[in-house]
């Protein structure tokens, strides 16, 4: 599936919920299903700077695709990174770099986060794209 297809799927799923309480619960559930980062990667180097909570992200290349794993010490933040990983993991670095992140606005996520969590969301996206840039450079 392309990043765009996955993002459309996420938009469709969020549109099924009546209110933000249900959407938050869905995000928490997504966080619970997140493929967990291996304990050896829960280091200071893998913490996303700019997040109020601790969010660890690890990336590696498998068959020319970037595979992300993550964890967070906060349930909402864990749900947010789960959504981002679902959209961007197992994709070619070039596709991640060029990917649009409008789906975040379409599900209304940014406007329903506190300013510090919204900043953290931006930091998460930047970090995922930075990993993709690093791997794309290796491929060139």
């Amino acid at each position: 599936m392309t990043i765009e297809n996955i993002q459309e799927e996420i938009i469709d799923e969020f549109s099924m919920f009546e209110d933000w309480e249900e959407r938050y619960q869905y995000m928490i559930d997504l966080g619970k299903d997140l493929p967990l980062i291996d304990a050896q990667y829960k280091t200071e180097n893998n913490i996303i700077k700019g997040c109020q909570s601790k969010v660890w992200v690890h990336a590696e290349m498998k068959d020319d695709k970037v595979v992300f794993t993550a964890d967070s010490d906060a349930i909402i933040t864990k749900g947010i990174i789960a959504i981002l990983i679902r959209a961007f993991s197992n994709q070619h670095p070039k596709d991640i770099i060029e990917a649009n992140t409008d789906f975040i606005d379409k599900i209304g996520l940014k406007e329903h986060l506190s300013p510090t969590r919204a900043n953290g969301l931006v930091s998460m996206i930047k970090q995922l794209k930075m990993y993709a840039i690093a791997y794309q450079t290796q491929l060139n």
Side-chain angles (χ1 to χ4, degrees):
M1 266 177 105
T2 67
I3 292 173
E4 291 77 19
N5 293 140
I6 296 166
Q7 289 176 349
E8 283 301 319
E9 229 178 45
I10 293 168
I11 292 166
D12 290 346
E13 288 165 15
F14 271 81
S15 70
M16 288 188 279
F17 299 106
E18 298 290 316
D19 59 35
W20 264 93
E21 200 169 312
E22 290 177 354
R23 290 181 182 147
Y24 279 128
Q25 187 55 54
Y26 183 61
M27 280 180 17
I28 291 166
D29 293 342
L30 289 174
K32 289 177 184 170
D33 295 336
L34 180 68
L36 280 190
I37 192 170
D38 194 293
Q40 69 177 336
Y41 300 122
K42 280 180 117 173
T43 64
E44 199 61 36
N45 288 343
N46 289 333
I47 286 183
I48 294 182
K49 310 290 183 259
C51 284
Q52 187 177 10
S53 338
K54 286 189 175 172
V55 181
W56 298 269
V57 174
H58 174 68
E60 57 188 299
M61 279 286 271
K62 290 183 183 170
D63 302 321
D64 285 347
K65 293 187 175 175
V66 184
V67 177
F68 294 105
T69 55
D71 196 8
S72 176
D73 61 356
I75 55 174
I76 295 289
T77 310
K78 195 169 179 173
I80 295 168
I81 195 68
I83 291 168
L84 296 175
I85 284 181
R86 181 170 156 200
F88 298 122
S89 196
N90 294 302
Q91 300 291 336
H92 191 278
K94 186 173 183 281
D95 296 333
I96 297 169
I97 295 163
E98 294 173 356
N100 196 314
T101 55
D102 284 354
F103 81 106
I104 299 289
D105 295 328
K106 288 180 182 168
I107 62 176
L109 185 55
K110 208 181 272 183
E111 67 195 59
H112 286 90
L113 294 175
S114 66
T116 52
R117 280 225 172 95
N119 288 341
L121 169 63
V122 171
S123 296
M124 288 180 217
I125 292 168
K126 277 184 186 167
Q127 188 61 48
L128 296 181
K129 289 197 176 236
M130 289 303 291
Y131 278 122
I133 289 167
Y135 284 121
Q136 183 61 43
T137 304
Q138 289 177 11
L139 290 174
N140 288 343

